[in-house]
Amino acid sequence: MTAIVAAILATMISSYQSVAPLVAAQVDRGLTDRADTVLAILTAAAPLPVRPDMTEQLVLPDGTVQQLTPGRPPIPVTDEDRAIARAGQGSAENNIVVDGVTYGVLTKARPNGGAVMVSQNYAEVERVDDEFLWSTTWVTLIAALSAALFSWLMIGRILRPMRRLAAAARRISDTQDLTTPLPRSGTDEIGDLTHSFNTMLAALRYSRMQQQRLVQDASHELRTPLTSVRGSAELLQRARGKLSPEDETKVLGTLVQEAKALDALVAELVDLATDQHTAEPTAEVDLVELAEDRAQRFRSRTGRAITLTTDHPAAVVARPQALSRCVDNLLDNAVKYSPAETPIHIHVRKTRLSVRDKGPGIDPADRNAVFDRFYRAETTRATPGSGLGLSIVHDIITTHHGTVFAAENPDGGAEVGFQLPPKS
């Protein structure tokens, strides 16, 4: 706003400085034109028309002054003016003050000797100059005030939603209440900023909800193996060597099994909570090469027969390690829930990868729920597992803007997999 006022004042000063010389030049031209007119009229011996703001007189070569405008006070004659009259050539221009009034005087030589002196009262010129100056000043002040008022209103209009947004952000920061409503947004830049804040708050609310749910589910899932470990440990403590070798072996086996389950569960929880693959850069991934690599790893580790077929496979853009984790979890799920002597099959069709097994299959009512954290179908509750494997697949694929699915294997068993967007 200060810059606008300064610009208006600079414009006013510049305008005045530009106009004042033009007025002065016009006055000078007026004196010159009047002197030429007087000389022409004297030559033609015609009567001289009178102008109310001008006085004319003739200076003869001998210095005698002859009034050409009766009733007007004579114009003071200087030595320079007499010299021009004697020589009959040259001109001179100066300003004089008579009774507090400023006059412009032009002395111009007469071709046959003598000189014509013309004076103009500057009172009218000064009045016009003053009026222009005051008019310019008032117009400038009004323009500056209008600009200041307009700027204040516009800046207030712009800053008002910003202040409301800042106040809402402070409330959220102070109260940690992510449900605090943000001010309604428009379609301008402030509206875009508010929409971005709302999107961010929605993501934070979802993240907090997921964290709370993870903590609640984890505490529930950890309680079962911990209870078993504690019970077995207390039994060994009370028995103090009184158990038979068979019972002691059984209790120790339970301890080892539950400890392994706890270790796997904690590892899954850490992986799920930290989401360590999100920092991995994306790259072009060949699903066929990825599937063959993970299948070979499982063949070596488990000895299971794992086959791979393809149907017009296409490359995708994804985080390679995260995608490897997804395939590992799908294979681990198939190995866990299918008989040891049955094969496992990986099928890649375009950007769709599925793992088929010959296990008990997934009930249609459970096919969406199997991707929830800690969900265990009734038919698989007796099988060891954390219930997090498919949930991790879901989270990773979702961050890649893909989809997961669970269906029935046409040859019996389950088919579980994912589909990613094609490489653009």
Side-chain angles (χ1 to χ4, degrees), residues 4 44 56 60 66 77 95 99 227 229 243 252 270 313 339 366 385 414:
I4 295 175
E56 298 88 3
L60 300 177
Q66 180 181 344
V77 181
N95 294 332
D99 297 331
T227 300
V229 168
L243 292 175
L252 289 174
V270 170
D366 296 328

Side-chain angles (χ1 to χ4, degrees), residues 297-349:
R297 177 176 175 270
F298 269 76
R299 292 189 195 105
S300 301
R301 195 184 75 182
T302 65
R304 297 289 294 266
I306 301 177
T307 59
L308 171 65
T309 59
T310 63
D311 182 10
H312 300 91
V316 297
V317 175
R319 301 182 183 93
Q321 294 301 318
L323 212 56
S324 296
R325 179 64 187 275
C326 289
V327 179
D328 285 350
N329 284 8
L330 293 176
L331 289 172
D332 186 65
N333 207 59
V335 168
K336 187 185 304 178
Y337 294 114
S338 61
E341 68 279 2
T342 59
I344 295 171
H345 181 68
I346 304 175
H347 183 65
V348 178
R349 182 177 181 274

Side-chain angles (χ1 to χ4, degrees), residues 2-252:
T2 303
I4 295 175
V5 174
I8 293 174
L9 291 175
T11 303
M12 180 201 76
I13 295 171
S14 176
S15 299
Y16 178 74
Q17 290 178 342
S18 299
V19 171
L22 294 177
V23 174
Q26 184 65 33
V27 171
D28 293 340
R29 283 195 297 272
L31 284 171
T32 302
D33 292 344
R34 183 63 177 177
D36 291 339
T37 300
V38 172
L39 289 172
I41 289 175
L42 289 175
T43 302
L48 180 67
V50 178
R51 283 187 52 171
D53 60 335
M54 286 190 171
T55 300
E56 298 88 3
Q57 66 186 24
L58 179 63
V59 181
L60 300 177
D62 60 1
T64 304
V65 177
Q66 180 181 344
Q67 288 294 111
L68 299 177
T69 312
R72 302 285 175 83
I75 304 171
V77 181
T78 65
D79 293 340
E80 184 181 13
D81 298 330
R82 291 188 180 93
I84 293 173
R86 283 194 303 270
Q89 60 182 2
S91 64
E93 187 174 354
N94 57 72
N95 294 332
I96 62 174
V97 178
V98 178
D99 297 331
V101 180
T102 303
Y103 293 84
V105 179
L106 173 63
T107 302
K108 192 168 185 178
R110 191 179 181 189
N112 297 326
V116 170
M117 295 184 68
V118 179
S119 73
Q120 183 175 10
N121 188 336
Y122 276 179
E124 182 65 18
V125 175
E126 291 176 349
R127 184 187 66 79
V128 172
D129 185 70
D130 291 343
E131 285 185 356
F132 176 76
L133 178 60
W134 282 107
S135 298
T136 304
T137 301
W138 279 110
V139 170
T140 302
L141 288 175
I142 293 172
L145 290 174
S146 300
L149 178 61
F150 179 76
S151 299
W152 181 76
L153 292 174
M154 290 302 296
I155 291 173
R157 182 176 179 270
I158 294 172
L159 293 181
R160 198 174 299 115
M162 289 290 290
R163 293 192 187 102
R164 290 198 296 264
L165 184 60
R170 283 194 297 271
R171 285 196 301 272
I172 294 172
S173 177
D174 294 339
T175 63
Q176 299 296 308
D177 182 9
L178 299 180
T179 62
T180 301
L182 294 180
R184 287 188 302 173
S185 58
T187 57
D188 54 5
E189 289 79 3
I190 306 300
D192 292 340
L193 181 61
T194 304
H195 178 71
S196 298
F197 267 82
N198 271 321
T199 303
M200 180 186 68
L201 282 177
L204 288 174
R205 284 194 296 268
Y206 178 77
S207 177
R208 176 177 288 183
M209 180 190 70
Q210 291 289 84
Q211 289 176 359
Q212 292 172 346
R213 180 186 168 194
L214 178 62
V215 170
Q216 293 169 356
D217 291 345
S219 63
H220 173 75
E221 293 297 322
L222 286 169
R223 189 172 292 114
T224 300
L226 282 175
T227 300
S228 179
V229 168
R230 180 179 177 180
S232 299
E234 288 177 348
L235 177 59
L236 288 175
Q237 184 183 42
R238 287 195 304 268
R240 295 186 180 278
K242 297 178 180 178
L243 292 175
S244 64
E246 294 80 7
D247 291 337
E248 185 172 324
T249 300
K250 184 178 180 180
V251 173
L252 289 174

Side-chain angles (χ1 to χ4, degrees), residues 249-268:
T249 300
K250 184 178 180 180
V251 173
L252 289 174
T254 300
L255 277 172
V256 172
Q257 182 179 353
E258 294 299 337
K260 288 182 178 179
L262 277 173
D263 182 65
L265 180 57
V266 169
E268 297 279 14

